[in-house]
Coordinates of all heavy atoms in Angstrom, one line a residue:
V702 N -13.0 -37.8 -0.4 CA -12.5 -36.4 -0.2 C -11.5 -36.2 -1.3 O -10.6 -36.7 -1.5 CB -11.9 -36.3 1.2 CG1 -11.2 -35.0 1.4 CG2 -12.8 -36.6 2.4
P703 N -11.8 -35.1 -2.0 CA -10.8 -34.6 -3.2 C -9.6 -34.1 -2.5 O -9.6 -33.6 -1.5 CB -11.7 -33.5 -3.7 CG -13.1 -33.6 -3.3 CD -13.1 -34.3 -2.1
W704 N -8.6 -34.4 -3.2 CA -7.2 -34.0 -2.5 C -6.3 -33.6 -3.6 O -6.5 -33.9 -4.9 CB -6.8 -35.2 -1.7 CG -6.5 -36.4 -2.6 CD1 -7.4 -37.3 -3.1 CD2 -5.2 -36.9 -3.0 NE1 -6.7 -38.2 -3.9 CE2 -5.3 -37.9 -3.7 CE3 -3.9 -36.5 -2.8 CZ2 -4.4 -38.8 -4.4 CZ3 -2.8 -37.2 -3.3 CH2 -3.1 -38.3 -4.1
L705 N -5.2 -33.0 -3.3 CA -4.1 -32.3 -4.2 C -2.9 -33.3 -3.8 O -2.6 -33.5 -2.7 CB -3.9 -31.0 -3.9 CG -5.0 -30.1 -4.1 CD1 -4.5 -28.6 -3.7 CD2 -5.5 -30.1 -5.5
L706 N -2.1 -33.6 -4.9 CA -0.8 -34.2 -4.7 C 0.3 -33.2 -4.7 O 0.4 -32.4 -5.7 CB -0.6 -35.3 -5.8 CG 0.7 -36.0 -5.9 CD1 0.8 -36.9 -4.6 CD2 0.7 -36.9 -7.2
E707 N 1.2 -33.2 -3.7 CA 2.3 -32.4 -3.9 C 3.5 -32.9 -4.6 O 3.8 -34.1 -4.5 CB 2.9 -32.1 -2.4 CG 4.0 -31.0 -2.4 CD 4.4 -30.5 -1.0 OE1 3.9 -31.0 0.0 OE2 5.3 -29.7 -1.0
V708 N 3.9 -32.1 -5.7 CA 5.0 -32.5 -6.5 C 6.2 -31.7 -6.2 O 6.2 -30.4 -6.2 CB 4.7 -32.3 -7.9 CG1 5.7 -32.9 -8.9 CG2 3.3 -33.0 -8.1
N709 N 7.3 -32.3 -5.8 CA 8.7 -31.6 -5.6 C 9.4 -31.3 -6.9 O 10.3 -32.1 -7.3 CB 9.4 -32.5 -4.6 CG 10.6 -31.7 -4.0 OD1 11.2 -30.8 -4.7 ND2 11.2 -32.2 -3.0
L710 N 9.1 -30.3 -7.6 CA 9.7 -29.9 -8.9 C 11.1 -29.5 -8.7 O 11.9 -29.7 -9.7 CB 8.7 -29.0 -9.6 CG 7.4 -29.3 -10.1 CD1 6.6 -28.2 -10.6 CD2 7.4 -30.4 -11.1
A711 N 11.4 -28.8 -7.7 CA 12.8 -28.3 -7.4 C 13.7 -29.3 -7.0 O 14.9 -29.2 -7.0 CB 12.7 -27.2 -6.5
G712 N 13.2 -30.6 -6.5 CA 14.0 -31.6 -6.0 C 14.7 -31.3 -4.7 O 15.8 -31.8 -4.4
E713 N 14.2 -30.4 -3.9 CA 14.8 -30.0 -2.6 C 14.6 -31.1 -1.7 O 13.3 -31.4 -1.3 CB 14.3 -28.6 -2.3 CG 14.7 -27.4 -3.0 CD 14.1 -26.2 -2.3 OE1 12.9 -26.0 -2.5 OE2 15.0 -25.4 -1.8
A714 N 15.6 -31.6 -0.9 CA 15.4 -32.5 0.1 C 14.6 -31.9 1.3 O 13.9 -32.8 2.0 CB 16.7 -33.0 0.4
S715 N 14.6 -30.7 1.4 CA 13.8 -30.0 2.5 C 12.3 -30.0 2.3 O 11.6 -29.6 3.1 CB 14.4 -28.7 2.8 OG 14.2 -27.7 1.8
K716 N 11.9 -30.3 1.1 CA 10.5 -30.1 0.8 C 9.9 -31.5 0.5 O 10.6 -32.4 0.2 CB 10.4 -29.4 -0.6 CG 10.9 -28.0 -0.6 CD 9.8 -26.9 -0.3 CE 10.1 -25.5 -0.2 NZ 11.3 -24.9 -0.6
G717 N 8.5 -31.6 0.8 CA 7.9 -32.8 0.7 C 7.5 -33.0 -0.8 O 7.7 -32.1 -1.7
G718 N 6.8 -34.0 -1.1 CA 6.2 -34.2 -2.5 C 6.8 -35.3 -3.2 O 7.9 -35.9 -2.7
V719 N 6.2 -35.8 -4.3 CA 6.6 -36.9 -5.1 C 7.3 -36.2 -6.3 O 7.2 -35.1 -6.7 CB 5.4 -37.8 -5.4 CG1 4.7 -38.3 -4.3 CG2 4.4 -37.0 -6.5
G720 N 8.0 -37.1 -7.0 CA 8.6 -36.7 -8.3 C 7.6 -36.8 -9.3 O 6.4 -37.5 -9.3
E721 N 7.8 -36.0 -10.4 CA 7.0 -36.1 -11.6 C 6.6 -37.3 -12.1 O 5.4 -37.6 -12.5 CB 7.6 -35.2 -12.8 CG 7.7 -33.7 -12.5 CD 8.4 -33.0 -13.8 OE1 7.9 -33.2 -14.9 OE2 9.4 -32.3 -13.5
D722 N 7.6 -38.3 -12.1 CA 7.3 -39.6 -12.5 C 6.4 -40.4 -11.8 O 5.8 -41.5 -12.1 CB 8.7 -40.4 -12.8 CG 9.5 -40.4 -11.4 OD1 9.3 -39.6 -10.5 OD2 10.3 -41.3 -11.4
E723 N 6.0 -40.0 -10.6 CA 5.1 -40.8 -9.6 C 3.6 -40.3 -9.8 O 2.6 -40.8 -9.2 CB 5.6 -40.5 -8.2 CG 7.0 -41.2 -8.0 CD 7.5 -40.8 -6.6 OE1 7.0 -41.6 -5.6 OE2 8.2 -39.9 -6.4
I724 N 3.3 -39.2 -10.5 CA 2.1 -38.7 -10.6 C 1.1 -39.7 -11.1 O 0.0 -39.8 -10.5 CB 1.9 -37.2 -11.4 CG1 2.9 -36.3 -10.7 CG2 0.6 -36.9 -11.6 CD1 3.0 -35.0 -11.6
E725 N 1.3 -40.4 -12.1 CA 0.4 -41.3 -12.7 C 0.0 -42.4 -11.8 O -1.1 -42.8 -11.7 CB 0.9 -41.9 -14.1 CG 0.0 -42.8 -14.8 CD -1.3 -42.1 -15.2 OE1 -1.4 -41.0 -15.3 OE2 -2.3 -42.8 -15.3
T726 N 1.0 -42.9 -11.1 CA 0.7 -43.9 -10.2 C -0.3 -43.5 -9.1 O -1.2 -44.1 -8.7 CB 2.0 -44.4 -9.4 OG1 2.9 -44.8 -10.3 CG2 1.7 -45.4 -8.5
Y727 N -0.1 -42.3 -8.5 CA -1.1 -41.8 -7.6 C -2.4 -41.5 -8.2 O -3.4 -41.8 -7.6 CB -0.6 -40.6 -6.9 CG 0.4 -40.8 -5.9 CD1 1.8 -40.9 -6.2 CD2 0.1 -41.0 -4.5 CE1 2.8 -41.2 -5.1 CE2 1.0 -41.2 -3.6 CZ 2.3 -41.4 -3.8 OH 3.2 -41.6 -2.8
R728 N -2.5 -41.0 -9.4 CA -3.7 -40.8 -10.1 C -4.5 -42.0 -10.4 O -5.6 -42.1 -10.2 CB -3.4 -40.2 -11.4 CG -4.6 -39.5 -12.1 CD -4.1 -38.6 -13.3 NE -5.3 -38.5 -14.2 CZ -5.5 -39.2 -15.2 NH1 -4.8 -40.2 -15.5 NH2 -6.7 -39.0 -16.0
E729 N -3.9 -43.0 -10.7 CA -4.6 -44.4 -10.9 C -5.1 -45.0 -9.7 O -6.1 -45.6 -9.5 CB -3.6 -45.4 -11.5 CG -3.2 -45.0 -13.0 CD -2.2 -45.9 -13.6 OE1 -1.6 -46.7 -12.8 OE2 -1.9 -45.7 -14.8
R730 N -4.2 -44.9 -8.5 CA -4.6 -45.5 -7.2 C -5.8 -44.7 -6.5 O -6.5 -45.4 -5.8 CB -3.4 -45.6 -6.3 CG -2.5 -46.7 -6.7 CD -1.5 -46.8 -5.7 NE -0.3 -47.6 -6.1 CZ 0.8 -47.7 -5.5 NH1 1.2 -46.8 -4.5 NH2 1.8 -48.5 -6.1
Y731 N -5.6 -43.3 -6.6 CA -6.6 -42.6 -5.8 C -7.4 -41.8 -6.8 O -6.9 -40.5 -7.1 CB -5.9 -41.8 -4.8 CG -4.9 -42.6 -4.0 CD1 -3.6 -42.7 -4.3 CD2 -5.4 -43.4 -2.9 CE1 -2.8 -43.4 -3.5 CE2 -4.6 -44.1 -2.1 CZ -3.3 -44.2 -2.4 OH -2.4 -45.0 -1.6
P732 N -8.6 -42.1 -7.2 CA -9.2 -41.4 -8.2 C -9.9 -40.2 -7.9 O -10.3 -39.2 -8.8 CB -10.4 -42.4 -8.6 CG -10.5 -43.3 -7.6 CD -9.2 -43.4 -6.9
L733 N -9.8 -39.8 -6.6 CA -10.4 -38.5 -6.1 C -9.2 -37.3 -6.2 O -9.5 -36.3 -5.8 CB -10.9 -38.6 -4.8 CG -12.2 -39.4 -4.6 CD1 -12.8 -39.6 -3.3 CD2 -13.3 -38.9 -5.6
L734 N -8.3 -37.7 -6.8 CA -7.1 -36.7 -7.0 C -7.6 -35.5 -7.9 O -8.2 -35.9 -9.0 CB -5.8 -37.3 -7.7 CG -4.8 -36.3 -8.0 CD1 -4.2 -35.6 -6.7 CD2 -3.7 -37.0 -8.7
C735 N -7.8 -34.3 -7.3 CA -8.3 -33.4 -8.2 C -7.3 -32.2 -8.6 O -7.6 -31.3 -9.5 CB -9.4 -32.6 -7.4 SG -9.0 -31.7 -6.0
G736 N -5.9 -32.3 -8.2 CA -5.0 -31.3 -8.6 C -3.7 -31.6 -8.0 O -3.4 -32.5 -7.3
L737 N -2.7 -30.7 -8.3 CA -1.5 -30.7 -7.9 C -1.0 -29.5 -7.2 O -1.6 -28.4 -7.3 CB -0.5 -30.8 -9.2 CG -0.7 -32.1 -10.1 CD1 0.3 -32.0 -11.3 CD2 -0.4 -33.3 -9.3
M738 N 0.1 -29.6 -6.3 CA 0.5 -28.6 -5.7 C 2.0 -28.6 -5.6 O 2.6 -29.6 -5.8 CB 0.0 -28.5 -4.1 CG 0.4 -29.6 -3.3 SD -0.2 -29.6 -1.6 CE 0.6 -28.3 -0.9
T739 N 2.7 -27.4 -5.4 CA 4.2 -27.4 -5.3 C 4.5 -26.3 -4.4 O 3.8 -25.2 -4.3 CB 4.9 -27.3 -6.7 OG1 6.2 -27.7 -6.5 CG2 4.7 -26.0 -7.3
M740 N 5.8 -26.3 -4.0 CA 6.4 -25.3 -3.2 C 7.7 -24.9 -3.7 O 8.7 -25.8 -3.6 CB 6.5 -25.7 -1.8 CG 5.4 -25.7 -0.8 SD 4.8 -24.0 -0.5 CE 6.1 -23.2 0.4
P741 N 7.9 -23.9 -4.4 CA 9.3 -23.6 -5.1 C 10.2 -23.1 -4.0 O 9.9 -22.9 -2.9 CB 8.9 -22.4 -6.0 CG 7.8 -21.7 -5.3 CD 7.0 -22.8 -4.8
P742 N 11.5 -23.1 -4.4 CA 12.5 -22.6 -3.5 C 12.3 -21.1 -3.0 O 11.8 -20.5 -4.0 CB 13.8 -22.8 -4.2 CG 13.6 -23.8 -5.3 CD 12.2 -23.6 -5.6
F743 N 12.6 -20.8 -1.9 CA 12.4 -19.3 -1.5 C 13.5 -18.5 -2.4 O 14.6 -18.9 -2.7 CB 12.8 -19.1 -0.2 CG 12.7 -17.5 0.3 CD1 11.4 -17.0 0.5 CD2 13.7 -16.8 0.3 CE1 11.3 -15.6 0.7 CE2 13.7 -15.5 0.6 CZ 12.5 -14.8 0.7
A744 N 13.0 -17.3 -3.0 CA 13.8 -16.5 -3.7 C 13.4 -15.1 -3.5 O 12.2 -14.7 -3.3 CB 13.7 -16.8 -5.2
D745 N 14.4 -14.2 -3.6 CA 14.0 -12.7 -3.4 C 13.1 -12.1 -4.6 O 12.4 -11.3 -4.5 CB 15.3 -12.0 -3.2 CG 16.0 -12.1 -1.9 OD1 15.3 -12.4 -0.9 OD2 17.1 -11.9 -1.8
D746 N 13.4 -12.9 -5.9 CA 12.7 -12.4 -7.0 C 11.6 -13.3 -7.2 O 11.8 -14.5 -7.5 CB 13.6 -12.3 -8.2 CG 13.1 -11.9 -9.5 OD1 11.8 -11.5 -9.3 OD2 13.7 -11.9 -10.5
P747 N 10.3 -12.8 -7.2 CA 9.2 -13.8 -7.3 C 9.2 -14.4 -8.8 O 8.7 -15.6 -8.8 CB 7.9 -12.8 -7.3 CG 8.4 -11.7 -6.4 CD 9.9 -11.6 -6.7
E748 N 9.9 -13.8 -9.7 CA 10.0 -14.4 -11.1 C 10.8 -15.7 -11.1 O 10.5 -16.5 -12.1 CB 10.6 -13.3 -12.0 CG 9.7 -12.3 -12.5 CD 8.6 -12.7 -13.4 OE1 8.7 -13.8 -14.1 OE2 7.6 -12.1 -13.4
A749 N 11.5 -16.0 -10.1 CA 12.2 -17.2 -10.1 C 11.4 -18.4 -9.9 O 11.7 -19.5 -10.4 CB 13.3 -17.2 -9.0
S750 N 10.2 -18.2 -9.4 CA 9.2 -19.2 -9.2 C 8.5 -19.6 -10.5 O 7.9 -20.7 -10.6 CB 8.2 -18.9 -8.2 OG 8.8 -18.7 -6.9
R751 N 8.4 -18.6 -11.5 CA 7.6 -18.9 -12.8 C 7.9 -20.2 -13.4 O 7.0 -20.9 -13.9 CB 7.8 -17.7 -13.6 CG 6.7 -17.7 -14.9 CD 6.8 -16.4 -15.7 NE 6.6 -15.3 -15.1 CZ 5.3 -14.6 -14.9 NH1 4.3 -15.4 -15.3 NH2 5.3 -13.4 -14.3
P752 N 9.2 -20.5 -13.7 CA 9.3 -21.9 -14.5 C 8.7 -23.1 -13.8 O 8.2 -23.9 -14.5 CB 10.9 -22.0 -14.5 CG 11.5 -20.6 -14.3 CD 10.3 -19.9 -13.5
L753 N 8.8 -23.0 -12.4 CA 8.2 -24.3 -11.8 C 6.7 -24.1 -11.9 O 6.0 -25.2 -12.0 CB 8.7 -24.2 -10.2 CG 10.2 -24.5 -10.1 CD1 10.6 -24.5 -8.6 CD2 10.6 -25.9 -10.6
F754 N 6.0 -23.0 -11.7 CA 4.7 -22.8 -11.8 C 4.2 -23.2 -13.3 O 3.2 -23.9 -13.4 CB 4.2 -21.5 -11.5 CG 4.4 -21.0 -10.1 CD1 4.5 -19.6 -9.7 CD2 4.6 -22.0 -9.1 CE1 4.6 -19.4 -8.4 CE2 4.8 -21.6 -7.8 CZ 4.9 -20.3 -7.4
K755 N 5.0 -22.8 -14.2 CA 4.5 -23.2 -15.7 C 4.5 -24.7 -15.7 O 3.7 -25.4 -16.4 CB 5.4 -22.6 -16.7 CG 5.2 -21.2 -16.9 CD 6.4 -20.7 -17.9 CE 6.2 -19.1 -18.2 NZ 5.3 -19.0 -19.5
R756 N 5.6 -25.4 -15.2 CA 5.7 -26.7 -15.3 C 4.5 -27.6 -14.6 O 4.0 -28.5 -15.2 CB 7.2 -27.3 -14.7 CG 7.4 -28.7 -14.8 CD 7.5 -29.2 -16.3 NE 7.7 -30.6 -16.3 CZ 7.1 -31.4 -17.2 NH1 6.4 -30.7 -18.2 NH2 7.1 -32.6 -17.2
L757 N 4.3 -27.0 -13.4 CA 3.2 -27.7 -12.7 C 1.7 -27.5 -13.4 O 1.0 -28.5 -13.6 CB 3.1 -27.2 -11.3 CG 2.1 -27.9 -10.4 CD1 2.9 -29.3 -10.0 CD2 1.7 -27.1 -9.2
E758 N 1.6 -26.3 -14.0 CA 0.4 -26.1 -14.9 C 0.4 -27.1 -16.0 O -0.7 -27.7 -16.3 CB 0.3 -24.7 -15.3 CG -1.0 -24.3 -15.9 CD -1.1 -24.8 -17.3 OE1 -0.2 -24.9 -18.1 OE2 -2.3 -25.0 -17.8
A759 N 1.4 -27.3 -16.7 CA 1.5 -28.3 -17.8 C 1.1 -29.7 -17.3 O 0.5 -30.4 -18.1 CB 2.8 -28.1 -18.5
L760 N 1.8 -30.0 -16.2 CA 1.5 -31.3 -15.8 C 0.2 -31.6 -15.4 O -0.5 -32.6 -15.7 CB 2.5 -31.7 -14.5 CG 4.0 -31.8 -14.7 CD1 4.7 -31.8 -13.4 CD2 4.1 -33.2 -15.5
A761 N -0.5 -30.6 -14.7 CA -1.9 -30.7 -14.4 C -2.7 -30.9 -15.6 O -3.7 -31.6 -15.6 CB -2.3 -29.5 -13.4
R762 N -2.5 -30.0 -16.4 CA -3.3 -30.0 -17.8 C -3.1 -31.4 -18.5 O -4.2 -31.8 -18.9 CB -2.8 -28.8 -18.7 CG -3.7 -28.6 -19.9 CD -3.3 -27.5 -20.7 NE -2.2 -26.7 -20.3 CZ -0.9 -26.8 -20.9 NH1 -0.8 -27.7 -21.9 NH2 0.1 -26.1 -20.5
G763 N -2.0 -31.8 -18.5 CA -1.7 -33.2 -19.1 C -2.4 -34.3 -18.5 O -2.9 -35.2 -19.1
Y764 N -2.7 -34.3 -17.1 CA -3.4 -35.2 -16.4 C -5.0 -34.9 -16.3 O -5.6 -35.7 -15.7 CB -2.7 -35.4 -15.1 CG -1.4 -36.3 -15.3 CD1 -0.3 -35.5 -15.0 CD2 -1.3 -37.6 -15.4 CE1 1.0 -36.2 -15.0 CE2 -0.2 -38.2 -15.6 CZ 0.9 -37.6 -15.4 OH 2.1 -38.2 -15.4
G765 N -5.3 -33.7 -16.7 CA -6.7 -33.5 -16.8 C -7.1 -33.0 -15.4 O -8.3 -33.2 -15.0
L766 N -6.2 -32.4 -14.6 CA -6.5 -32.1 -13.1 C -6.8 -30.6 -13.1 O -5.9 -29.7 -13.4 CB -5.3 -32.5 -12.2 CG -5.0 -34.0 -12.2 CD1 -3.6 -34.2 -11.5 CD2 -6.1 -34.7 -11.6
P767 N -8.0 -30.1 -12.6 CA -8.3 -28.7 -12.6 C -7.7 -27.9 -11.6 O -7.7 -26.7 -11.8 CB -9.8 -28.8 -12.5 CG -10.1 -30.1 -11.8 CD -9.1 -31.0 -12.1
E768 N -7.3 -28.4 -10.3 CA -6.9 -27.6 -9.3 C -5.4 -27.5 -9.3 O -4.8 -28.5 -9.5 CB -7.4 -28.2 -8.0 CG -8.8 -28.1 -7.9 CD -9.4 -26.8 -7.9 OE1 -8.9 -25.8 -7.5 OE2 -10.6 -26.9 -8.2
L769 N -4.8 -26.3 -9.1 CA -3.4 -26.0 -8.8 C -3.2 -25.1 -7.7 O -3.6 -23.9 -7.6 CB -3.0 -25.2 -10.2 CG -2.6 -26.0 -11.5 CD1 -2.3 -25.0 -12.5 CD2 -1.5 -26.9 -11.1
S770 N -2.5 -25.6 -6.7 CA -2.1 -24.9 -5.5 C -0.7 -24.6 -5.6 O 0.2 -25.5 -5.6 CB -2.5 -25.7 -4.3 OG -2.0 -25.0 -3.1
M771 N -0.3 -23.4 -5.8 CA 1.1 -22.9 -5.9 C 1.0 -21.4 -5.7 O 0.2 -20.7 -6.0 CB 1.5 -23.2 -7.3 CG 0.8 -22.7 -8.5 SD 1.4 -23.4 -10.0 CE 0.6 -22.3 -11.2
G772 N 2.1 -21.0 -5.1 CA 2.3 -19.6 -4.7 C 2.0 -19.3 -3.2 O 1.2 -19.9 -2.6
T773 N 2.9 -18.5 -2.7 CA 2.9 -18.0 -1.2 C 2.9 -16.6 -1.2 O 2.9 -15.9 -2.3 CB 4.0 -18.7 -0.5 OG1 5.3 -18.3 -1.0 CG2 3.9 -20.3 -0.6
S774 N 3.0 -16.1 -0.1 CA 3.1 -14.6 0.0 C 4.2 -14.1 -0.8 O 4.0 -12.8 -1.3 CB 3.3 -14.2 1.6 OG 2.2 -14.6 2.3
Q775 N 5.2 -14.6 -1.0 CA 6.4 -14.2 -1.8 C 6.1 -14.2 -3.3 O 6.7 -13.3 -4.0 CB 7.6 -14.8 -1.6 CG 7.6 -16.2 -2.3 CD 8.9 -17.0 -2.0 OE1 10.0 -16.7 -1.4 NE2 9.0 -18.2 -2.7
D776 N 5.3 -15.0 -3.9 CA 5.1 -15.1 -5.3 C 3.8 -15.3 -5.8 O 3.6 -15.8 -7.0 CB 6.2 -16.2 -5.9 CG 6.0 -17.5 -5.1 OD1 4.9 -17.7 -4.5 OD2 6.8 -18.3 -5.1
W777 N 2.8 -15.2 -5.0 CA 1.3 -15.5 -5.5 C 0.9 -14.8 -6.8 O 0.2 -15.4 -7.3 CB 0.4 -15.2 -4.3 CG 0.2 -13.7 -4.0 CD1 0.9 -12.9 -3.1 CD2 -0.8 -13.0 -4.6 NE1 0.3 -11.6 -3.1 CE2 -0.6 -11.5 -4.0 CE3 -1.8 -13.1 -5.5 CZ2 -1.6 -10.6 -4.4 CZ3 -2.7 -12.0 -5.8 CH2 -2.6 -10.8 -5.3
R778 N 1.3 -13.6 -7.0 CA 0.9 -12.9 -8.2 C 1.3 -13.7 -9.5 O 0.7 -13.7 -10.5 CB 1.5 -11.5 -8.2 CG 0.7 -10.6 -7.3 CD 1.3 -9.1 -7.3 NE 0.5 -8.2 -6.4 CZ 0.9 -8.2 -5.3 NH1 1.8 -8.9 -4.5 NH2 0.2 -7.2 -4.4
I779 N 2.7 -14.2 -9.4 CA 3.2 -14.9 -10.4 C 2.4 -16.4 -10.6 O 2.0 -16.8 -11.7 CB 4.8 -15.3 -10.2 CG1 5.5 -14.1 -10.1 CG2 5.2 -16.2 -11.5 CD1 5.4 -13.1 -11.2
A780 N 2.0 -17.0 -9.4 CA 1.3 -18.1 -9.5 C -0.2 -18.0 -10.1 O -0.5 -18.9 -11.0 CB 1.2 -18.7 -8.0
V781 N -0.7 -16.9 -9.8 CA -2.0 -16.6 -10.4 C -1.9 -16.4 -11.9 O -2.7 -17.0 -12.6 CB -2.8 -15.2 -9.8 CG1 -4.0 -15.0 -10.5 CG2 -3.2 -15.7 -8.3
E782 N -0.9 -15.7 -12.3 CA -0.7 -15.5 -13.9 C -0.4 -16.8 -14.4 O -0.8 -17.0 -15.6 CB 0.5 -14.5 -13.9 CG 0.3 -13.3 -13.7 CD 1.6 -12.3 -13.8 OE1 2.5 -12.9 -14.3 OE2 1.5 -11.1 -13.4
E783 N 0.1 -17.8 -13.7 CA 0.4 -19.1 -14.4 C -0.6 -20.2 -14.2 O -0.5 -21.3 -14.4 CB 1.8 -19.7 -13.9 CG 2.9 -18.8 -14.2 CD 3.0 -18.5 -15.8 OE1 2.7 -19.5 -16.5 OE2 3.6 -17.6 -16.2
G784 N -1.8 -19.7 -13.5 CA -3.0 -20.6 -13.5 C -3.2 -21.2 -12.1 O -4.2 -22.0 -12.1
A785 N -2.7 -20.7 -11.1 CA -3.1 -21.1 -9.7 C -4.6 -20.9 -9.5 O -5.2 -20.0 -9.7 CB -2.3 -20.4 -8.7
T786 N -5.2 -22.0 -8.8 CA -6.5 -21.9 -8.4 C -6.6 -21.7 -6.9 O -7.6 -21.4 -6.3 CB -7.5 -23.2 -8.8 OG1 -6.8 -24.3 -8.3 CG2 -7.5 -23.3 -10.3
L787 N -5.5 -22.1 -6.2 CA -5.3 -22.0 -4.8 C -4.0 -21.2 -4.5 O -3.0 -21.7 -5.1 CB -5.5 -23.3 -4.0 CG -6.8 -24.1 -4.3 CD1 -6.6 -25.4 -3.9 CD2 -7.9 -23.4 -3.4
I788 N -3.9 -20.5 -3.5 CA -2.6 -19.8 -3.0 C -2.5 -19.9 -1.6 O -3.7 -20.0 -0.9 CB -2.5 -18.4 -3.6 CG1 -3.5 -17.4 -3.1 CG2 -2.2 -18.4 -5.2 CD1 -3.3 -16.1 -3.5
R789 N -1.3 -19.9 -1.1 CA -1.2 -20.0 0.3 C -0.5 -18.7 0.8 O 0.7 -18.3 0.4 CB -0.2 -21.1 0.8 CG -0.8 -22.5 0.4 CD 0.1 -23.7 0.5 NE 1.3 -23.5 -0.3 CZ 1.4 -23.8 -1.6 NH1 0.4 -24.2 -2.3 NH2 2.6 -23.8 -2.1
L790 N -1.3 -18.0 1.6 CA -0.8 -16.7 2.2 C -0.7 -16.8 3.6 O -1.5 -17.3 4.3 CB -1.8 -15.6 1.9 CG -2.1 -15.3 0.3 CD1 -3.1 -14.3 0.2 CD2 -0.8 -15.0 -0.5
G791 N 0.4 -16.3 4.2 CA 0.8 -16.3 5.7 C 1.2 -15.0 6.0 O 0.5 -14.1 6.6
S792 N 2.5 -14.7 5.7 CA 3.1 -13.3 6.1 C 2.4 -12.2 5.4 O 2.3 -11.1 6.1 CB 4.6 -13.3 5.9 OG 4.8 -13.4 4.5
T793 N 1.7 -12.3 4.3 CA 0.9 -11.3 3.8 C -0.3 -10.9 4.6 O -0.6 -9.6 4.8 CB 0.4 -11.6 2.3 OG1 1.5 -11.8 1.5 CG2 -0.4 -10.5 1.8
L794 N -0.8 -11.8 5.2 CA -2.0 -11.6 6.1 C -1.7 -11.4 7.5 O -2.3 -10.6 8.3 CB -3.1 -12.7 5.9 CG -3.6 -13.0 4.5 CD1 -4.3 -14.3 4.7 CD2 -4.3 -11.8 4.0
F795 N -0.7 -12.1 8.0 CA -0.3 -12.1 9.5 C 1.1 -11.7 9.6 O 1.9 -12.6 9.8 CB -0.6 -13.5 10.1 CG -2.0 -14.1 9.7 CD1 -2.2 -15.0 8.8 CD2 -3.1 -13.6 10.4 CE1 -3.4 -15.6 8.6 CE2 -4.2 -14.1 10.2 CZ -4.5 -15.0 9.3
R796 N 1.3 -10.4 9.5 CA 2.7 -10.0 9.8 C 3.1 -10.0 11.3 O 2.2 -9.8 12.1 CB 2.8 -8.6 9.2 CG 2.7 -8.6 7.7 CD 2.9 -7.2 7.1 NE 2.5 -7.3 5.7 CZ 3.3 -7.4 4.6 NH1 4.6 -7.4 4.9 NH2 2.9 -7.4 3.4
P797 N 4.3 -10.2 11.6 CA 4.8 -10.2 12.9 C 4.5 -8.8 13.6 O 4.5 -7.9 13.0 CB 6.2 -10.6 13.0 CG 6.6 -10.8 11.5 CD 5.4 -10.5 10.6

Protein backbone atom coordinates (compact mmCIF):
# COMPACT_ATOMS: atom_id res chain seq x y z
CA VAL A 1 0.00 0.00 0.00
CA PRO A 2 1.52 3.34 -1.00
CA TRP A 3 1.75 5.74 1.92
CA LEU A 4 2.84 9.22 3.00
CA LEU A 5 5.24 10.09 5.81
CA GLU A 6 4.27 12.98 8.07
CA VAL A 7 7.15 15.36 8.73
CA ASN A 8 6.93 17.73 11.69
CA LEU A 9 8.69 20.73 10.14
CA ALA A 10 7.47 23.20 12.78
CA GLY A 11 8.77 21.07 15.64
CA GLU A 12 5.48 21.41 17.50
CA ALA A 13 5.04 18.88 20.30
CA SER A 14 1.29 18.87 19.65
CA LYS A 15 1.81 17.61 16.08
CA GLY A 16 2.76 14.13 14.93
CA GLY A 17 5.44 13.28 12.45
CA VAL A 18 9.13 12.62 12.18
CA GLY A 19 12.03 15.01 11.93
CA GLU A 20 13.63 15.84 8.59
CA ASP A 21 16.65 13.75 9.56
CA GLU A 22 14.49 10.59 9.79
CA ILE A 23 13.06 10.66 6.24
CA GLU A 24 15.85 8.64 4.66
CA THR A 25 15.54 5.87 7.26
CA TYR A 26 11.84 5.46 6.52
CA ARG A 27 12.43 5.65 2.79
CA GLU A 28 14.97 2.82 2.96
CA ARG A 29 12.88 0.61 5.25
CA TYR A 30 9.54 1.09 3.51
CA PRO A 31 9.95 1.27 -0.27
CA LEU A 32 6.27 2.02 -0.93
CA LEU A 33 6.69 5.51 0.52
CA CYS A 34 5.25 7.76 -2.17
CA GLY A 35 5.26 11.19 -0.54
CA LEU A 36 5.42 13.50 2.42
CA MET A 37 2.84 15.39 4.43
CA THR A 38 2.96 18.14 7.04
CA MET A 39 0.69 20.21 9.26
CA PRO A 40 1.87 23.78 9.79
CA PRO A 41 0.97 25.74 12.91
CA PHE A 42 -2.41 27.46 12.78
CA ALA A 43 -2.11 31.09 11.70
CA ASP A 44 -4.60 33.77 10.75
CA ASP A 45 -2.49 34.61 7.70
CA PRO A 46 -2.26 31.71 5.21
CA GLU A 47 1.08 33.10 3.97
CA ALA A 48 2.62 32.03 7.28
CA SER A 49 2.46 28.41 6.03
CA ARG A 50 4.38 29.10 2.82
CA PRO A 51 7.93 28.59 4.18
CA LEU A 52 7.03 25.16 5.56
CA PHE A 53 5.29 24.16 2.33
CA LYS A 54 8.33 25.25 0.32
CA ARG A 55 10.58 23.22 2.61
CA LEU A 56 8.43 20.09 2.32
CA GLU A 57 8.33 20.39 -1.47
CA ALA A 58 12.13 20.66 -1.58
CA LEU A 59 12.48 17.61 0.67
CA ALA A 60 10.07 15.54 -1.43
CA ARG A 61 11.82 16.56 -4.64
CA GLY A 62 15.21 15.70 -3.12
CA TYR A 63 14.02 12.21 -2.25
CA GLY A 64 12.21 11.71 -5.55
CA LEU A 65 8.79 11.48 -3.89
CA PRO A 66 5.91 12.66 -6.12
CA GLU A 67 3.09 13.14 -3.59
CA LEU A 68 2.74 16.12 -1.25
CA SER A 69 -0.08 16.38 1.26
CA MET A 70 -0.12 19.84 2.76
CA GLY A 71 -2.66 22.52 3.28
CA THR A 72 -5.96 22.68 5.11
CA SER A 73 -9.02 24.88 4.87
CA GLN A 74 -6.98 27.80 6.21
CA ASP A 75 -4.11 27.69 3.71
CA TRP A 76 -4.88 25.28 0.87
CA ARG A 77 -4.39 27.89 -1.86
CA ILE A 78 -0.84 28.52 -0.69
CA ALA A 79 -0.24 24.75 -0.52
CA VAL A 80 -1.38 24.29 -4.12
CA GLU A 81 0.90 27.13 -5.25
CA GLU A 82 3.79 25.35 -3.53
CA GLY A 83 3.13 21.97 -5.14
CA ALA A 84 0.54 20.13 -3.04
CA THR A 85 -0.95 17.09 -4.76
CA LEU A 86 -3.33 16.43 -1.84
CA ILE A 87 -5.06 18.89 0.49
CA ARG A 88 -7.21 18.37 3.58
CA LEU A 89 -10.42 20.33 3.70
CA GLY A 90 -12.80 20.21 6.63
CA SER A 91 -14.35 23.48 7.70
CA THR A 92 -14.42 24.70 4.10
CA LEU A 93 -16.75 21.84 3.20
CA PHE A 94 -18.48 21.17 6.51
CA ARG A 95 -19.21 24.40 8.30
CA PRO A 96 -20.91 24.21 11.71
